[in-house]
Amino acid sequence: MSGIVKRFVPMMDRILVQKLKTETKTATGILLPDSAVKQKNWGKVLAAGPGRLSKDGELVPMNVKVGDTVVVPEYGGVQLKFDDEDFHVFRDDDIMGIVQEE
């Protein structure tokens, strides 16, 4: 993880996610072209804001934490590029689920 990513602090209910890379090689070692590889909608949470404020002014905590593997929408969010790597910023409400480890 690059230095700028470690210093990035999302505001309110926003989450910094790096999408997981899709395998470009089959189990038998055949390399697949980019056009044949479907992107995963999974990502790793690298940073999370403190949460959002309710109508009463109380802080509503985030549903995810740093290190969680989450399912994100295919489209949406804001794409950022730090040190030639792609990252995305989503709102907490945009996250579709958390992938639990076995």
Side-chain angles (χ1 to χ4, degrees):
M1 187 168 29
S2 66
I4 187 75
V5 173
K6 291 179 184 177
R7 296 186 318 230
F8 183 84
V9 179
M11 303 299 289
M12 302 304 289
D13 66 337
R14 290 179 174 81
I15 302 164
L16 180 67
V17 174
Q18 185 173 30
K19 288 190 176 181
L20 298 176
K21 306 279 188 230
T22 317
E23 289 294 322
T24 57
K25 191 188 301 186
T26 65
T28 58
I30 298 172
L31 292 174
L32 299 171
D34 289 340
S35 60
V37 177
K38 180 159 172 38
Q39 291 286 42
K40 286 186 179 179
N41 287 353
W42 293 12
K44 188 69 95 175
V45 176
L46 302 178
R52 66 176 173 82
L53 294 177
S54 69
K55 292 181 182 178
D56 301 329
E58 293 184 27
L59 187 66
V60 177
M62 301 291 278
N63 292 314
V64 298
K65 62 185 180 306
V66 174
D68 283 349
T69 301
V70 295
V71 179
V72 295
E74 188 171 351
Y75 301 104
V78 176
Q79 185 173 1
L80 302 174
K81 193 167 208 130
F82 298 128
D83 298 333
D84 293 328
E85 290 189 61
D86 290 327
F87 300 91
H88 295 81
V89 176
F90 294 97
R91 288 189 176 271
D92 189 37
D93 293 342
D94 293 338
I95 302 300
M96 301 165 80
I98 299 172
V99 178
Q100 299 287 333
E101 293 187 27
E102 293 181 34

